Amino acid sequence: MNETETLNALTLAAAAHFNTDMAVQLYRAAGSATAVMDNRRNIGDIIPGCSRRIVEALADVDAARRRAEGEVEYALRTGTEILCMGDEAYPWRLKDCPDAPLALFFRGTGSLNRRRIISIVGTRRCTAYGQDCVRRLAVGLKELCPDVLVVSGLAYGIDICAHREALANGIDTMAVLAHGLDYLYPPRHKDTAREMLAHGGLLTEFFTHTNADKLNFLRRNRIVAGTADATVVVESASHGGALVTARIAQSYGRDVMAFPGRAGDEYSEGCNNLIRDNKAALITSAADLVKALGWQDDATLAQARRQGIEPQLFPELTADEQAVADALAKDGDLQVNTLSARTGLPVGTLSAVMFTLEMKGVVRLLAGGMYHLIINP
């Protein structure tokens, strides 16, 4: 992403902070933040009926531009990545969501486009049972799906337990924050957050000097849900933020899973209700999750990568595999969502196709979730 587009994306986000959904609509309609800025004085031509407040906000963007320039300067000084919607490193799963942020701020070493990503959420008042569920899930994921990225919110309870158990088992983990990267809430989790920088990272849509207000926690839930293939609810009361995240994930067409609890237990009521109402699949282990998502071959693939996959000289491809190979041959390296658009294959089907193509030595997964064609049979 060029510097002009980055600055314009941040300016648009700052100017339209009161209506981020409309800002995203403008971006998508115009094709870039730069196009929005270039046409900001006749923005009604891009989206007829655009709200008067947005029109007024875009008429004078001097303050928003200064705020954007401050964020760019801070990012350069602190090693923070600014990921705009058009960047390859922007989470492709989140990009497909209608209310995705125009820009994200990321600090860390993990890829936001890992082959497998799950979010783990739950109550801040977790019990020993909930902690044990998270522990067993992390241990199982290490064995069955070692290349997974665990996403949560760094809050007390299930969130911090998920991060710490992931780290303890050598699994990268990322926290989605409800404030800017210039401070950390809660402060007690500072040591864990520091460790995550080397084994995952910290992600936020919020500019610096943004307080951790209640509304921001609710907004960040859509990023927790949108960056992942599936959301796992471990413990929740009948109402709470974890259930909001589960509801958002379901609206995005993502899988939702929940650990059941004993009838009558306060912090199992939310999970039990999700399962009862067929809004979440019941799981009791990582094996259940891996089976439900069709990730059974991940451990095999991870071992094959370590040993080195030898390309087959004359591999025989199915029609779906050939369609993927042809798309990569024509357009170069592509992410799964783009491959899905090019081939017409659902993302779920592509997961199995990409596994067999890797095992045959036809493709290789690169950083940023990009697939590279090695040979074209």
Side-chain angles (χ1 to χ4, degrees):
M1 180 67 64
N2 64 59
E3 295 179 5
T4 299
E5 175 64 13
T6 297
L7 187 60
N8 283 329
L10 293 176
T11 302
L12 177 57
H17 66 92
F18 53 86
N19 193 339
T20 55
D21 291 356
M22 179 59 72
V24 173
Q25 289 182 47
L26 286 170
Y27 173 91
R28 287 177 167 151
S32 69
T34 300
V36 174
M37 288 294 108
D38 288 345
N39 295 278
R40 61 189 179 86
R41 298 192 184 281
N42 59 320
I43 202 67
D45 295 340
I46 297 177
I47 294 186
C50 187
S51 74
R52 181 176 179 179
R53 192 176 179 191
I54 288 285
V55 172
E56 292 175 350
L58 292 178
D60 182 2
V61 296
D62 289 348
R65 176 74 65 174
R66 290 192 295 273
R67 186 83 191 273
E69 290 170 345
E71 295 303 308
V72 171
E73 188 277 330
Y74 176 82
L76 290 172
R77 179 161 43 87
T78 59
T80 298
E81 289 184 72
I82 301 175
L83 306 176
C84 299
M85 198 171 279
D87 292 340
E88 288 185 355
Y90 189 98
W92 63 261
R93 295 168 178 85
L94 183 62
K95 189 184 298 184
D96 289 341
C97 302
D99 52 357
L102 277 174
L104 294 164
F105 303 95
F106 178 68
R107 196 178 299 160
T109 58
S111 169
L112 306 181
N113 287 302
R114 290 286 275 274
R115 187 164 179 263
R116 309 297 192 201
I117 302 179
I118 64 166
S119 61
I120 301 176
V121 297
T123 178
R124 285 170 166 78
R125 298 179 177 86
C126 65
T127 67
Y129 166 73
Q131 294 175 28
D132 186 58
C133 287
V134 174
R135 186 177 302 111
R136 288 186 290 108
L137 180 60
V139 170
L141 287 172
K142 179 182 179 181
E143 177 184 356
L144 299 173
C145 190
D147 196 35
V148 71
L149 173 69
V150 169
V151 176
S152 197
L154 203 69
Y156 291 107
I158 293 299
D159 283 19
I160 193 63
C161 185
H163 293 307
R164 288 172 175 166
E165 290 299 332
L167 291 170
N169 285 278
I171 297 171
D172 282 357
T173 181
M174 179 182 72
V176 182
L177 306 180
H179 51 76
L181 288 175
D182 52 329
Y183 85 110
L184 191 79
Y185 180 86
R188 288 179 60 182
H189 296 165
K190 185 177 181 179
D191 289 345
T192 301
R194 185 181 296 112
E195 186 176 357
M196 290 168 64
L197 293 177
H199 303 283
L202 307 176
L203 181 73
T204 186
E205 68 175 310
F206 296 106
F207 286 24
T208 55
H209 310 300
T210 302
N211 295 327
D213 296 330
K214 182 177 180 180
L215 181 60
N216 293 347
F217 283 98
L218 293 175
R219 285 197 59 78
R220 70 95 187 266
N221 288 348
R222 79 192 196 287
I223 301 178
V224 174
T227 53
D229 299 298
T231 292
V232 179
V233 186
V234 178
E235 280 190 310
S236 175
S238 58
H239 297 86
L243 299 185
V244 173
T245 305
R247 193 157 55 243
I248 295 170
Q250 193 174 44
S251 74
Y252 291 159
R254 310 295 167 82
D255 288 283
V256 178
M257 302 175 187
F259 279 86
R262 186 172 59 185
D265 283 2
E266 180 181 2
Y267 294 111
S268 290
E269 188 175 355
C271 292
N272 290 344
N273 290 346
L274 285 173
I275 295 167
R276 180 199 64 199
D277 297 338
N278 294 316
K279 293 180 178 178
L282 185 156
I283 63 170
T284 60
S285 65
D288 291 343
L289 180 148
V290 166
K291 182 178 180 181
L293 295 174
W295 293 356
Q296 295 95 324
D297 295 320
D298 280 27
T300 302
L301 180 57
Q303 182 179 4
R305 284 174 178 166
R306 288 193 297 270
Q307 295 174 348
I309 299 174
E310 291 292 334
Q312 297 178 18
L313 189 58
F314 301 107
E316 293 186 6
L317 304 186
T318 66
D320 288 348
E321 292 166 0
Q322 189 63 58
V324 169
D326 291 343
L328 291 172
K330 179 182 178 182
D331 299 324
D333 299 345
L334 298 172
Q335 293 176 336
V336 169
N337 61 329
T338 307
L339 277 170
S340 178
R342 296 284 194 277
T343 62
L345 297 173
V347 171
T349 301
L350 269 174
S351 179
V353 171
M354 302 318 294
F355 167 78
T356 57
L357 286 175
E358 275 202 75
M359 293 300 291
K360 291 176 180 180
V362 176
V363 303
R364 180 171 67 249
L365 181 62
L366 305 177
M370 304 290 287
Y371 280 95
H372 173 73
L373 183 67
I374 300 174
I375 59 172
N376 187 16

